[in-house]
Amino acid sequence: NADPRLRRVMTSLVRHLHDFAKDVELTEAEWEYAIDFLTRTGQLCSDARQEFILLSDALGLSMLVDAINHRLPEGATETTVFGPFHVDDAPERPMGANISLDGKGELCLFSGRVLDLAGRPVANALVDVWSDNEDGFYDVQQPGIQPPFNNRGVFRTGPDGRYAFRGIRPVSYPIPDDGPVGQMLTALGRHPWRPAHMHFLITAPGYDRIITHIFVKGDPYLTSDAVFGVKQSLIVDFRPVTSTTEKWQAEFDFVMRPA
Ligand code: DHB
Ligand code: FE
């Protein structure tokens, strides 16, 4: 008397697994290797490292699940992978604040608006942002080396829907490649790099949350992202500026759909 959804999911999973084994005529050695690979993947998992999510990401499964579950109306901002480096307790900072606390990297002014599908500003949206530092690491990857909450912050929009903050122009970085997923990439001749990006999580009462990035136009890894996260609409021209303390500016408007 299994749950109908469970029955459907498991019937399909088993059918496809069997088809796969028949298709490649899976050897016993390959089966044993797969069991060992998955065991090592699980053994590496901890609060600080989710190797199974990394595996899902590197196989393109995370982006597929995202696409299935976020068939967006015309005009809504496209989504992409959440990634493992978000923290729930990043501080809310005053509009315009600099989130780069380690003083490294080239400063960039990020700005834009949070809008609804009709183009009206969304007030009281929380714009939660995070990026790596100039060395290609998130603060949580280097506790005791980077200041806490380096390159993170939450900004609350006012009635005009605008947000602005300073951060670094993000740099490309490799996904953690010292475990089973890294071995898989190497064995397949794939590289572990992600194109430079700034992460955004945008929430507002009455709207579906947006989990996305903006990517830096011109990055060499835009066409070979290790986790398949790039969408054309998320690539932003980082423009040089001369007059201020920042070297760069990036503008992007986010469009939310109703919950
Ligand atoms: C990100 C990092 C990862 O290791 C991953 O699998 C997916 C996304 C990221 O920080 O964007
Ligand atoms: Fe990232």
Side-chain angles (χ1 to χ4, degrees), residues 61-259:
L61 184 62
S62 305
M63 285 302 293
L64 177 57
V65 173
D66 179 62
I68 292 165
N69 290 281
H70 296 267
R71 297 175 210 214
L72 296 175
E74 185 70 27
T77 298
E78 290 198 281
T79 52
T80 188
V81 277
F82 195 38
F85 300 126
H86 178 259
V87 306
D88 286 335
D89 57 346
E92 189 170 330
R93 303 190 196 274
M95 202 57 86
N98 182 1
I99 61 172
S100 171
L101 307 181
D102 63 2
K104 295 181 174 183
E106 297 182 346
L107 268 193
C108 177
L109 174 64
F110 294 83
S111 66
R113 293 170 301 165
V114 182
L115 304 170
D116 67 12
L117 285 170
R120 291 176 300 232
V122 175
N124 274 312
L126 291 178
V127 179
D128 184 343
V129 303
W130 66 105
S131 82
D132 57 345
N133 77 347
E134 178 69 4
D135 301 325
F137 294 105
Y138 289 82
D139 59 351
V140 291
Q141 294 176 288
Q142 297 190 309
I145 297 175
Q146 293 189 36
F149 304 117
N150 191 28
N151 294 304
R152 301 178 185 279
V154 180
F155 299 88
R156 185 186 295 270
T157 61
D160 60 3
R162 290 195 174 277
Y163 73 89
F165 66 95
R166 277 130 184 114
I168 66 163
R169 180 186 151 112
V171 302
S172 25
Y173 61 85
I175 63 171
D177 64 346
D178 55 345
V181 173
Q183 286 171 5
M184 178 186 80
L185 295 177
T186 303
L188 293 173
R190 285 174 57 187
H191 68 69
W193 290 83
R194 296 216 61 210
H197 56 272
M198 176 66 71
H199 290 263
F200 288 84
L201 164 61
I202 303 182
T203 52
Y207 294 91
D208 193 19
R209 69 178 189 172
I210 299 176
I211 293 172
T212 197
H213 320 335
I214 62 174
F215 292 94
V216 180
K217 186 175 164 185
D219 189 285
Y221 298 111
L222 283 171
T223 52
S224 64
D225 184 357
V227 303
F228 309 99
V230 180
K231 290 176 178 172
Q232 282 302 317
S233 67
L234 302 175
I235 299 174
V236 173
D237 197 6
F238 280 60
R239 297 199 312 275
V241 285
T242 47
S243 54
T244 61
T245 50
E246 295 90 34
K247 279 192 84 158
W248 302 95
Q249 77 173 40
E251 271 184 72
F252 195 83
D253 290 344
F254 295 91
V255 180
M256 306 188 83
R257 64 158 171 183

